[in-house]
Amino acid sequence: MILNALCSYYDRCKADLAPAGKEIRELHFIIVINRDGDFVRLEDCLVQNTGEGDKKRTKKSYKKFVVPMSVSRTSAVKPNTLWDNCSYALGLCEESFVESPSEADLKKISKCALCHRAFVDEVERVADVNSLPDSLTPLRLFLKKSTSEIVEAMRTDPLWDAFCKMIKTANVSFLVDGEKTIVAEQNFGLGEHDEVRPHEEGSSICLVTGHKTIPQRIIEKATPIVGSQAVAKLVSFQVNSGYDSYGKSQCGNAPISEEAAFKYSTALNTLLGKDSKNKTFIGNRTFLFWGANDSQAANATEDALRALFGEGEKVDDPNAQIYKVIDALKSVVSGIQATMSEDVFYFLGLAPNAARIAVVYWQEASVKEFAANILRHFEDMQIVNNAKFPFAGLYSMLSAVTLGGKVKDATPNLSEAIMKSILSGGQYPRQLLLNCIGRIRADADLEGFKRVSATRAAILKAFLNRLNDNQLKIKNMLDKENVNPAYLCGRLFAVLESIQYSANKSTNIAERYLSSASSTPVYVFPNLLNLSVHHSAKGGWGEKAKTEIINLLPPEGFPVHLDTEDQGRFFLGYYHQKADNMKLNQNEAEQAE
């Protein structure tokens, strides 16, 4: 299913992806030569990009070219076709410029020479099968020169120092002076490394296409995910390791045609690429998401996931994008944006592994179902909010439940569980509730609205509303009909805090009693009510609100103990009442003006 879905992404984006046997690759330098094979100049492929939302931050990116697909390399010497790193393309490495090379340096220089020889042989091989025999002549003449002769010519170039600084990592190709296309982008009729397959394997039914074909023996590598090796593969079978069953070797156990292997590996590389907007990182996990079709509904769902799992742009109102996404999702769910039966959406979770990519999560559903689940999360996280900051995204949720708002300190299990709850529409993890209440208690030196922030209140509301679908739902704002004792206790505490502030501009009861009142109300509220008599000697709104709430409490009075869920209801009642108090104060101020 996963390979099929990746192939569908390739078919959807075929116009923007590399054709068969090719890949889109960043090159760092182009070596320009003349028709006699002499060095002319270096061309830098660097393009400066400014990071969105932060003018001080810049990231380096380089021009991209459609080049022959790269080979899977371990310790063996295997050259790419007509492009490669400096060791292969030029026979140069950092150790080549050491004045007194050590024995280890000499070994690396020797290995570098072998790599360059293999690259030269690969150019000769392509030239032998090329229908235009003279097209590679300048490059062949250039490569016949000794390494020292090439270095001597290149030293005079203004970009030589910059080139030397990147000699370990730079990928290069060649351009004949006067031509517009580098040699690696020209079609020489052999863009792939076709390997001879053993005859005994024969043909098999491709698992992806269903057609009978000779299976590809070794699947091309994928772009490495976070923490994975550079040669990590999604599908592979190791020789003589217990996987050679039924007389079949390597990928004969899971036959995949060459066409399907290229499609899914190219799609996976594209989704994992650094410019991809269809991926997110959660801990050491990499998550990819895409729609099978390029429909408005699928694009709206992709936008929703970016807003949900992304870090968010630094703008005045970061919730604005979320509200746009909510409107788009509503149109998908309601049918305003029509979806077809084949309009499917995919979500894939990958984890680093030694040599293979581990699949840790996979979900396939209709676009409408995905949109409905994401929309439900946004609706569950809606709360009365007097400030402009995001509260519905994964990063803002994790920031609210970690010390100092450091998302990187959140446990991978928690972030993964939240993500799965959002996508499946199921209950949020209990650890989210525990962490949220724990942070509210730990931030005892902060003011009430900072301790029980909009994000934390939204988390509590969302968790409790999904805990039991049959229970009365907690509303986005103050609910005077909610007679849950814990919710009423939270409301009452906010009223008592407001009464104290009106009397002496102090809110120290929140600093001293909020945590204990949320767990053992019966031991705290009698004392607070006695103190409030002195604070509200003149009567007024506070006394009326206090009496109204107390009258709603059960006959037995304040609860002796509140469990974890009821502590969440306490803090929600506290937040709702404070938000309502603030709105009331603003209205009074406007009337006074």
Side-chain angles (χ1 to χ4, degrees), residues 23 25 70-78 80 85 88 218-238 251 264-265 268-269 272 351-358:
E23 68 176 89
R25 171 74 67 155
S70 59
V71 296
S72 295
R73 262 198 302 245
T74 53
S75 58
V77 175
K78 286 184 79 174
N80 289 316
N85 59 43
Y88 279 90
I218 300 175
I219 305 300
E220 292 296 335
K221 69 177 183 295
T223 301
I225 62 173
V226 176
S228 186
Q229 291 186 357
V231 294
K233 300 178 179 67
L234 187 62
V235 178
S236 66
F237 290 85
Q238 191 171 339
C251 285
Y264 90 70
S265 60
L268 185 59
N269 286 334
L272 288 168
N353 206 349
R356 296 175 182 84
I357 299 174

Side-chain angles (χ1 to χ4, degrees), residues 126-163:
V126 174
D128 289 341
V129 298
N130 180 25
S131 58
L132 302 173
D134 295 331
S135 58
L136 282 175
T137 299
L139 178 57
R140 296 169 72 187
L141 292 173
F142 176 81
L143 294 176
K144 284 182 180 180
K145 301 178 186 296
S146 65
T147 302
S148 58
E149 188 177 353
I150 292 173
V151 170
E152 190 65 28
M154 294 177 67
R155 281 185 187 276
T156 59
D157 193 276
L159 293 176
W160 172 251
D161 291 338
F163 179 80

Side-chain angles (χ1 to χ4, degrees), residues 10 18-23 66-72 78-83 122-123 125-126 129 184 186-197 216-221 256-263 265-266:
Y10 178 88
K22 303 280 186 175
E23 68 176 89
V66 180
V67 299
M69 184 171 283
S70 59
V71 296
S72 295
K78 286 184 79 174
N80 289 316
T81 302
L82 305 177
W83 70 274
E122 174 66 11
V123 173
R125 182 182 71 86
V126 174
V129 298
Q186 296 178 27
N187 185 13
F188 292 107
L190 190 66
E192 299 179 88
H193 294 266
D194 294 322
E195 299 184 24
V196 179
R197 298 178 177 84
Q216 181 151 324
R217 188 162 58 95
I218 300 175
I219 305 300
E220 292 296 335
K221 69 177 183 295
I256 300 171
S257 66
E258 190 170 340
E259 177 190 7
F262 168 76
K263 282 186 176 182
S265 60
T266 302

Side-chain angles (χ1 to χ4, degrees), residues 95-110:
E95 291 75 16
S96 302
F97 303 100
V98 176
E99 292 184 2
S100 301
S102 63
E103 186 175 344
D105 293 337
L106 291 173
K107 286 184 178 180
K108 291 182 179 180
I109 294 171
S110 177

